[in-house]
Amino acid sequence: MVEDGTLQQIMNSYLTNSVITFDTVEDMVESTFLIDGSNCRTLGYYQIGDNGGALYHIVEDNPNITGQIELDSGLYAYLIIENDTINVKQFGAVGDGITDETTILQTALNYGAKNVIFDKGTYIISSCLYPKGNIFGINKNETIIKFPNQNPVIEPVLTNSILFFLEINDFEVKNICLEGSYISGSATGGSAHCITLRHCENVSIHDVFFKN
């Protein structure tokens, strides 16, 4: 006969020592059996195979990490960086050329990975992004970061850029298209800068297409 509590202890041990697999982030959020200390992996963010799948650790207390996901159970999931690399789609970016994804992209850039991958897609931003390390696209024809046409708001002029690197050394930008687009009402009277570098050393930029 199983003693009181033994079965629950076995279940808890399984949930904290195994990696539970979910199809999507939504499935993970709706789960009722994850506990503090669980580990789980999603096969996609919105759907299986959308390159937004990730490994997560579940905790009871709010870890105060930007980008954490609150579950319906009141627990929190935070993404585990693997191989010092993250994909912006792991944070919910879609790259549909319509949605303003500035906040999502900056959250990914702030997360602490050395390498940030921008998957295939067109990523619309309404203010400049501040990378902390390497930026990799898939190729310069299929990965595009751009301001929307006739964007009226990018000020001041000193930060009027798609990518603004400040006091970052030893990094590269590769396989991406940066499209400035015309900024009406800007003090510059013209296009945004694609990349601004301030107090940076040992920078490699290659296979990058600058437009507008």
Side-chain angles (χ1 to χ4, degrees), residues 106 109 125 127-133 135 147 154-169 171-173 176 178-180 183 188 191-201 203-205 208 210:
Q106 190 60 57
L109 294 172
I125 59 172
S127 61
C128 64
L129 300 175
Y130 298 87
K132 313 297 182 183
I135 301 293
F147 288 132
I154 310 302
E155 298 291 353
V157 174
L158 287 178
T159 57
N160 185 10
S161 299
I162 295 175
L163 301 179
F164 192 103
F165 291 88
L166 178 62
E167 298 179 351
I168 307 294
N169 300 324
F171 68 88
E172 61 181 318
V173 182
I176 203 163
L178 303 175
E179 185 173 341
I183 300 179
T188 62
S191 300
H193 304 299
C194 289
I195 295 181
T196 296
L197 305 173
R198 284 190 174 272
H199 308 295
C200 300
E201 296 180 356
V203 179
S204 174
I205 300 174
V208 175
F210 301 107

Side-chain angles (χ1 to χ4, degrees), residues 40-204:
C40 54
R41 183 177 294 279
T42 58
L43 301 179
Y45 196 94
Y46 299 106
Q47 60 185 18
I48 295 174
D50 63 7
N51 292 335
L55 179 66
Y56 295 89
H57 184 64
I58 308 302
V59 294
E60 182 176 3
D61 296 324
N62 187 335
N64 292 318
I65 299 173
T66 302
Q68 69 194 12
I69 299 172
E70 185 173 2
L71 310 183
D72 288 349
S73 63
L75 298 173
Y76 296 88
Y78 68 88
L79 185 148
I80 303 298
I81 298 173
E82 299 181 89
N83 301 316
D84 218 356
T85 301
I86 56 175
N87 189 315
V88 296
K89 291 198 172 182
Q90 293 176 313
F91 292 79
V94 292
D96 61 5
I98 300 172
T99 306
D100 183 347
E101 305 194 270
T102 309
T103 300
I104 289 174
L105 298 178
Q106 190 60 57
T107 296
L109 294 172
N110 290 345
Y111 205 73
K114 179 180 180 180
N115 309 306
V116 178
I117 296 174
F118 283 72
D119 219 301
K120 293 180 182 179
T122 298
Y123 301 91
I124 300 296
I125 59 172
S126 56
S127 61
C128 64
L129 300 175
Y130 298 87
K132 313 297 182 183
N134 299 323
I135 301 293
F136 299 126
I138 302 305
N139 67 64
K140 60 187 178 183
N141 296 315
E142 296 185 290
T143 301
I144 301 167
I145 307 175
K146 64 173 292 186
F147 288 132
N149 293 331
Q150 300 298 316
N151 183 351
V153 296
I154 310 302
E155 298 291 353
V157 174
L158 287 178
T159 57
N160 185 10
S161 299
I162 295 175
L163 301 179
F164 192 103
F165 291 88
L166 178 62
E167 298 179 351
I168 307 294
N169 300 324
D170 304 310
F171 68 88
E172 61 181 318
V173 182
K174 181 179 179 181
N175 294 336
I176 203 163
C177 172
L178 303 175
E179 185 173 341
S181 301
Y182 179 76
I183 300 179
S184 61
S186 169
T188 62
S191 300
H193 304 299
C194 289
I195 295 181
T196 296
L197 305 173
R198 284 190 174 272
H199 308 295
C200 300
E201 296 180 356
N202 195 22
V203 179
S204 174

